């Protein structure tokens, strides 16, 4: 008994070591191949720079984000304030740096929650079909039939202002799109030969879903996911355009663009700089995503 | 056979609509705030009797289940109720606003597709070329610019500085086509009113670009990535080796395959455009459903929001059904019932 | 191979997870926490609607300067109101408008115990008593003295952080002549001319107007349009004084009776002559339960104690009140006369579709949430003789366009698409200051803006804390910057354009040292800024 157990344990340990080594090797290989993709490297540099700036914001920003000097309002860029001062005399550069923290977080968390929930449910529903599928599809239809912003406005009105309330309001329907993409992918894949073959070989449903189908349908999820990160940040701006959002003391790029657009005729810098940085981040995230997609593309690996 | 399946799907929409109806009914009543209080605004000398009278006039003092039952009964009879905030029949308000919203959403999706389909194909074929890179940059620009900001920038450039296009509204006074369907473009064609056609098209350009920018970006990316994937598949390589012309490979194999995810995303985007255009409607002073419904939420106009969401629901179910039919056409292995 | 791929895929997740974690730790470490009231530090959340977000943030910043933990929050109005009416909030920015130019519809609803607009839960029997005396007093001197007394009391009691009165601001093309911004948010187009064209286009800052039926609305925006199609018995001068319009004159034989003599020869747009029957009909359809299309008029409450309207002869009408109501003539400015025969003939719904009035313009066509077109009424009797020019309107077509976004209104004015941009946020007036083709105008407004305390809970049940906060906010700077100087500081809740405002009562001075002293007396740990 003891011998048998220890054998099992040692097999397990060796397997684990093997996996770790494989993982490390593949990680190294991936990074190396990624390093050869110039645009991905450029994207990675920008993303890292923005994230670093966000993390270090309190140390590197010239002012405090809520430091207000009403007499300096609308100071143009280039003077005392590098990127100018906003309509309340706050430093635009400082607020962009601090705004990065909340904006990136809103984008990351909402997309992560949405992809996870939507992906898992979509694969299950698509693979098993039947009552689960019917129920989930009807549910998503009922949800989709509600305009997104109505949900968000209602949710914000019900929950009150705050960061997490915003995240919940945005996630509430965000997952539905990923559910439908995943489900559509599974439906298209599951009639294919390789799935049949795996079934004949006696692999479990979970293995087929996770190891056979998922890799083939994950690309559209990731592509839409990287795009949706930008959408979520922008959605936050739309909510503050309609009069609800997170507290004004916490800067976000979305609310900075929203605050600034009213003054675009006489102070373009208020909304333009946060707009540029938002585009730069979304673009870079997608360049990295694109690079990774190419490195990881199953078809490139097999052929 | 297919006809029966489609009919089945259409009938399956009924429980969805019932679900939507009940959910929105409860959703509105969960919101803090009272419609009568909002309607009275800052009126000072209001007595409690007056408030009670108004509440009972709008049936707000009945228990919830009674209100819901009577609402469902009225909906079945085709009566969507009375809008407190606009002193008018909800059905009439929605019928006026719906064509404006649908017209704008269709124009936006047409613009989006007109940009996205060729761009998606070209960027996939000319993978990693300059045009691929620059179109990628453009599509991220499209997606990361909030619609209100893009809208006001478009207005400033094309209306204020260049004076090419009108800033806002659906039509210039004097050029409103006579009412046939409520769709200005269609009405002006039907009545043969060329100046009105030109005018309503001019009014459509800016808001539909502002609204269509984000969907255009998403659809381009989806088409590009699915086509890239397909172009590397062995059957495509096989077709090429057999000497099939390159354009035929691209269109027949790659593009056709890319259409499935593209149809999914386009369907979703249309839903999003119909229900998510309140920001663009506000900026461009467009008299559509989005503004109606946001105003309805803020004034807790229960009947109005309920009616509007029902209409959104119906539109969505219809778009869905069309997407369904398209799927089976694109991939005959699927049956209509297995909708995606 | 598949395993290999999946392993590689997980590589993506690791840096993403690390970044997310790093960010999250960074943000949660620095994000302001929900302040809680403690014995030592004074923590305040200031609630506001999105339109006052900047002001709230400026106020919070000034409070933070003296060591108060202050933070602003933006809400949707009804959600916020529901919260503070439950007593769950601390300090909330509110405003209230007066349409009667009298404390009757401002001070009473805001300050009398248990009134609808009394969001601070202020209750002072002395004030209640003074206000109710002032409502029924008939002599203006007595009323004024009573209101002065009220102002003295609430000045000391500080139920609010007293704020300011925002000016009504609008902009017009320089081609527009004879145009003025009016205090009661009416756009009087009767006197307006436009150089080179007979059509004037106006961008209204609203989503929609409710109706074209003068008996079936309760908001000011709708009235803006309706008052160009319909006239009332009386109207106001630019200074808010009531003068005859459709009425020729009126008498008040006793405080509860008003006898109006109606001008002869006035015609409605359909040619029908206006006489006493139309006046009686106008008021009866509002007084009567379910009087308009099966619904009771939302304007009923505005008539106060009006008991009956009786025709004496073809051109004389007697209004009888249940009790004295000195602002009755002010109220009548808002009740436009409708044609009895026409309304009876086409019904209430038909009337709202095709309204007919006796005003300077006729309704032509339009959609209430898009654009409404009016044309000149050639047989117009001329309007109030005390408000020249008298005669038909000078322009022939009016187009009201609903343009809810202020930036679009400014852009449309610059593009020459509209001639008047209504309701300009004061801080956006700058965008037009360099434009030679536009002029910006403003007049004192009729709304009081303040920040109300929740008086039922600590710390604001202590008058010292309330006075301290009144001293701690530098309103003059806020007004000069955020509101572009287009606001007047108020000493209490009363407004200068209304009756009975005490101009000698000076607003609380900005005095952080005094604020700190008062807060320390109340037991809070605050300090003057070191800078």
């Amino acid at each position: 008994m003891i011998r048998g157990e220890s054998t099992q344990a040692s097999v397990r340990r060796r397997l684990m070591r093997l996996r770790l080594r494989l993982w490390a090797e593949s990680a190294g290989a991936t990074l190396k191949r990624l390093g050869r993709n110039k645009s991905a490297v450029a994207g990675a540099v920008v993303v890292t720079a923005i994230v670093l700036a966000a993390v270090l914001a309190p140390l590197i920003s010239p002012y405090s984000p809520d430091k207000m000097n009403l007499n300096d309002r609308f100071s143009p860029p280039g003077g005392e304030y590098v990127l100018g001062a906003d309509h309340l005399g706050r430093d635009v550069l400082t607020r962009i740096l601090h705004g990065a923290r909340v904006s990136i977080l809103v984008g990351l968390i909402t997309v992560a929650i949405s992809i996870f929930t939507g992906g898992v449910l979509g694969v299950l529903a698509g693979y098993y079909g039947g009552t689960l599928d019917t129920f989930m599809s009807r549910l998503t239809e009922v949800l989709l039939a509600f305009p997104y912003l109505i949900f968000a406005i209602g949710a914000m009105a019900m929950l009150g202002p705050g960061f997490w309330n915003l995240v919940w309001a945005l996630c509430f329907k965000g997952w539905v799109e990923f559910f439908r993409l995943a489900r559509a992918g599974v439906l298209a894949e599951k009639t294919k030969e390789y799935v049949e073959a795996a079934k004949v070989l006696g692999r479990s449903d979970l293995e087929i879903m996770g190891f056979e189908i998922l890799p083939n349908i994950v690309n559209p999820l990731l592509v839409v996911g990287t795009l949706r990160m930008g959408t979520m940040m922008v959605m936050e701006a739309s909510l503050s355009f309609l009069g609800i959002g997170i507290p004004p003391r916490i800067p976000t790029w979305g609310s900075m663009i929203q605050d600034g657009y009213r003054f675009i005729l006489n102070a373009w810098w208020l909304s333009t700089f946060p707009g540029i940085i938002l585009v730069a981040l979304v673009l870079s995230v997608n360049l990295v995503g694109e690079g990774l997609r190419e490195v990881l593309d199953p078809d490139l690996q097999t052929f | 056979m297919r006809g029966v399946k489609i009919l089945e799907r259409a009938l399956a929409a009924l429980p969805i609509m019932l679900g939507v109806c009940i959910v929105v009914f409860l959703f509105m009543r969960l919101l803090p705030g009272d419609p009568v209080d909002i309607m009275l605004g800052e009126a000072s000398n209001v007595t409690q009797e007056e408030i009670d009278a108004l509440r009972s006039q709008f049936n707000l003092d009945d228990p919830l289940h009674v209100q819901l039952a009577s609402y469902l009964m009225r909906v079945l009879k085709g009566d969507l109720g009375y809008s407190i905030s606009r002193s008018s029949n909800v059905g009439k308000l929605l019928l006026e606003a719906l064509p404006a919203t649908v017209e704008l959403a269709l124009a936006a999706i047409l613009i989006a597709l007109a940009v996205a389909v060729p761009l998606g194909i070209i960027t996939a074929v000319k993978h990693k070329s300059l045009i691929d890179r620059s179109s990628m940059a453009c599509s991220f620009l499209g997606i990361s610019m909030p619609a209100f900001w893009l809208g006001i920038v478009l207005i400033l450039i094309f209306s204020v500085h260049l004076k090419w296009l009108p800033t806002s509204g659906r039509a210039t006074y004097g050029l409103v086509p006579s009412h046939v369907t409520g769709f200005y473009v269609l009405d002006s064609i039907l009545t043969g009113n060329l100046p009105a056609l030109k005018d309503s098209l001019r009014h459509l350009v800016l808001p539909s670009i502002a609204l269509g920018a984000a969907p255009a970006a998403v659809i381009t990316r989806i088409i590009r990535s699915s086509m890239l994937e397909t172009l590397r598949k062995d059957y495509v390589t096989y077709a090429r080796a057999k000497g099939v012309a390159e354009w035929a490979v691209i269109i027949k194999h790659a593009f056709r395959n890319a259409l499935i995810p593209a149809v999914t995303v386009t369907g979703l985007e249309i839903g999003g455009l119909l229900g998510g255009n309140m920001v663009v409607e506000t900026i461009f002073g467009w008299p559509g459903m989005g503004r109606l419904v946001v105003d309805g939420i803020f004034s807790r106009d229960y009947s109005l929001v309920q009616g509007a969401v029902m209409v959104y629901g119906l539109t969505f179910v219809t778009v869905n059904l069309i997407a369904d039919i398209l799927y089976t056409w694109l991939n005959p292995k699927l049956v209509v019932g297995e909708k995606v | 191979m598949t395993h290999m791929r999946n392993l590689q895929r997980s590589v993506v997740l690791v840096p993403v997870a690390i970044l997310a974690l790093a960010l999250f730790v960074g943000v949660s470490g620095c994000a302001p926490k929900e302040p809680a009231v403690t014995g030592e530090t004074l923590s305040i959340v200031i609630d506001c609607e999105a339109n006052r977000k900047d002001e709230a943030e400026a106020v919070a910043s000034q409070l933070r300067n003296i060591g108060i933990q202050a933070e602003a929050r933006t809400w949707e109005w009804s959600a916020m109101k529901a919260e503070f009416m439950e007593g769950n909030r601390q300090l909330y920015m509110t405003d209230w408008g007066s349409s009667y130019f009298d404390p009757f519809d401002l001070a009473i609803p805001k300050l009398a115990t248990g009134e609808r607009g009394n969001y601070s839960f202020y209750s002072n029997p002395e004030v209640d008593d003074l206000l109710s005396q002032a409502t029924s007093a008939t002599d203006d001197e007595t009323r004024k003295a009573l209101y002065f007394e009220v102002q003295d009391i609430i000045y000391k009691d500080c139920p609010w952080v007293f704020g300011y009165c925002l000016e009504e601001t609008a902009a017009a093309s320089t081609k527009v002549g004879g145009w003025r911004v009016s205090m009661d948010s009416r756009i009087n187009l009767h006197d307006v001319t436009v150089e080179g064209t007979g059509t004037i286009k106006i961008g209204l800052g609203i989503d929609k107007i409710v109706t074209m039926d003068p008996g079936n609305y309760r908001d000011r925006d709708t009235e803006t349009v309706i008052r160009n199609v319909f006239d009332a018995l009386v109207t106001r001068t630019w200074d808010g004084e009531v003068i005859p319009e459709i009425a020729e004159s009126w008498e008040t034989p006793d405080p509860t009776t008003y006898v109006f003599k109606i001008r002869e020869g006035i015609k409605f747009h359909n040619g029908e002559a206006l006489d006493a029957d139309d006046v009686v009909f106008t008021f009866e359809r509002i007084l009567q339960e379910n009087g308009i299309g099966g619904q009771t008029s939302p304007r009923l409450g505005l008539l106060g104690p009006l008991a009956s309207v009786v025709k004496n002869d073809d051109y004389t009408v007697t209004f009888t009140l249940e009790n004295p109501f000195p602002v009755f003539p002010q109220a009548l400015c808002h009740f436009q006369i409708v044609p009895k025969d026409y309304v009876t003939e086409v019904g209430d719904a038909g009337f709202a579709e095709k309204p007919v009035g006796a005003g300077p313009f006729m309704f032509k066509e339009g959609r209430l949430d898009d654009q409404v077109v009016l044309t000149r009424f050639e047989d117009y009797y001329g309007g109030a003789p005390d408000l020249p020019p008298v005669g038909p309107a000078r322009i022939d077509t009016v187009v009201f366009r609903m343009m809810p976004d202020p930036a679009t209104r400014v852009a449309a004015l610059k593009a020459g698409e509209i001639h008047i941009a209504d309701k300009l946020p004061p801080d956006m007036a700058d965008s037009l200051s360099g434009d030679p083709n536009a002029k910006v105008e403003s007049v004192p407004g009729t709304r009081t803006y303040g920040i109300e305390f929740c008086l039922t809970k600590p710390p604001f049940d202590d008058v010292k804390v309330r006075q301290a906060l009144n001293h701690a906010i530098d309103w003059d700077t806020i007004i000069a910057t955020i509101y572009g100087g287009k606001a007047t500081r108020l000493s209490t809740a009363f407004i200068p354009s209304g009756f009975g405002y005490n101009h000698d009562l000076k607003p609380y001075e900005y005095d952080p040292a005094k604020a700190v002293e008062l807060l320390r007396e109340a037991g809070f740990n605050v300090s003057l800024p070191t800078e």
Side-chain angles (χ1 to χ4, degrees), chain B residues 37 42-43 57 167-168 283, chain C residues 81 218 295 408 417 447:
Chain B
D37 186 59
E42 287 167 356
Q57 180 173 322
T167 55
S168 57
I283 292 278
Chain C
K81 185 176 174 189
R218 191 104 190 208
Q295 320 264 6
T408 315
E417 265 178 49
R447 301 189 76 80

Side-chain angles (χ1 to χ4, degrees), chain C residues 130-196:
Chain C
L130 289 167
L131 285 175
S132 85
Q133 282 181 42
T135 316
S136 45
T138 46
D139 168 42
D140 276 356
E141 278 312 307
T142 321
R143 291 175 62 218
K144 200 176 224 169
L146 289 164
Y147 283 137
F148 271 39
E149 218 174 312
V150 172
Q151 285 169 75
D152 282 337
I153 298 172
I154 63 167
Y155 182 84
K156 287 185 203 104
D157 271 354
C158 293
W160 312 355
V161 176
F162 300 118
Y164 54 90
C165 171
L166 206 55
E167 291 176 9
E168 299 278 346
T169 305
S173 149
T174 42
K175 287 183 186 155
V176 175
W179 165 77
R180 282 169 78 179
V181 182
S182 115
M183 280 201 285
D184 56 355
S185 61
R186 169 192 190 184
I187 304 181
N188 186 346
L189 295 168
H190 173 244
D191 314 341
V192 169
T193 55
V194 187
E195 212 178 293

Side-chain angles (χ1 to χ4, degrees), chain B residues 11 21 91 100 122 169 184 252 261 273 283 324:
Chain B
L11 285 177
C21 193
I122 294 171
Y184 281 7
K252 277 196 180 154
L273 286 184
I283 292 278
D324 253 17

Side-chain angles (χ1 to χ4, degrees), chain B residues 37-38 40-45 57 86 92 96 152 166-168 171 173 283 287 291 295 298 300, chain C residues 76 78 81 96-97 105 116 207-208 210 218 295 301 353 364 367 369 371 373 401 403 407-408 417 447:
Chain B
D37 186 59
I38 294 165
L40 290 170
E42 287 167 356
S44 40
N45 35 350
Q57 180 173 322
R86 299 194 184 220
K92 177 175 163 281
E96 276 177 1
I152 199 76
T167 55
S168 57
Y173 161 65
I283 292 278
R291 260 166 63 192
D295 191 59
F298 288 155
R300 303 292 186 270
Chain C
E76 187 247 352
S78 300
K81 185 176 174 189
W96 191 273
D105 62 350
R116 247 185 111 231
D207 208 52
K208 90 289 175 169
V210 175
R218 191 104 190 208
Q295 320 264 6
E353 287 282 319
K364 182 154 181 254
R367 248 183 70 185
D369 57 353
Q371 53 188 13
V373 182
R401 290 178 54 185
M403 303 174 83
T408 315
E417 265 178 49
R447 301 189 76 80

Side-chain angles (χ1 to χ4, degrees), chain B residues 32-34 36-46 50-51 54 57-58 82 84-88 92-93 96-97 100 152 155-156 159-160 163 165-174 176 184 203 281-288 291-292 295 297-300, chain C residues 76-79 81-82 95-98 100 104-106 109 115-116 199 201 206-208 210-211 216-218 290 294-298 300-304 325 353 364-365 367 369-371 373 375 397 399 401-405 407-408 411-412 414-417 447:
Chain B
D34 173 43
V36 167
D37 186 59
I38 294 165
M39 181 186 120
L40 290 170
E42 287 167 356
S44 40
N45 35 350
V46 181
E50 196 183 346
I51 293 177
L54 281 167
Q57 180 173 322
F58 297 117
Y82 183 83
I84 300 184
S85 70
R86 299 194 184 220
S87 312
S88 176
K92 177 175 163 281
L93 288 171
E96 276 177 1
I152 199 76
I155 290 176
L156 286 182
S159 308
V160 177
K163 298 204 193 302
L165 294 164
T167 55
S168 57
R170 264 186 100 190
T172 312
Y173 161 65
V176 181
Y184 281 7
H203 279 88
E281 284 183 1
T282 305
I283 292 278
F284 287 97
W286 195 265
R291 260 166 63 192
L292 197 68
D295 191 59
I297 295 182
F298 288 155
S299 41
R300 303 292 186 270
Chain C
E76 187 247 352
W77 167 252
S78 300
K81 185 176 174 189
D95 55 278
W96 191 273
S98 158
Y100 293 169
F104 170 77
D105 62 350
L106 181 70
E115 273 289 339
R116 247 185 111 231
T199 302
K201 297 184 178 180
I206 47 175
D207 208 52
K208 90 289 175 169
V210 175
T211 176
N216 209 5
Y217 70 95
R218 191 104 190 208
N290 304 331
Q295 320 264 6
T296 305
S297 167
L300 175 62
L302 298 174
L303 282 170
F325 188 52
E353 287 282 319
K364 182 154 181 254
E365 60 186 355
R367 248 183 70 185
D369 57 353
D370 186 8
Q371 53 188 13
V373 182
T375 51
T397 309
V399 181
R401 290 178 54 185
M402 313 303 148
M403 303 174 83
D405 190 71
T408 315
K414 274 179 158 305
E417 265 178 49
R447 301 189 76 80

Side-chain angles (χ1 to χ4, degrees), chain B residues 225-286:
Chain B
S225 89
S226 347
M227 279 193 58
L228 275 180
E229 199 165 307
T230 326
L231 280 173
R232 286 193 208 105
K233 291 257 163 78
D234 45 349
Y235 68 87
V236 173
T237 320
Y238 181 65
R240 276 180 179 148
K242 255 177 41 182
V244 176
E246 185 64 20
W247 65 266
V249 171
I250 292 165
I251 300 301
K252 277 196 180 154
H253 295 281
F255 181 60
R256 201 186 153 101
N257 224 25
L259 273 178
I260 293 187
V263 168
T264 312
V265 171
T266 309
L268 286 170
E269 292 292 338
I270 292 180
L273 286 184
L274 284 169
N277 56 7
M278 27 293 254
V279 171
V280 170
E281 284 183 1
T282 305
I283 292 278
F284 287 97
W286 195 265

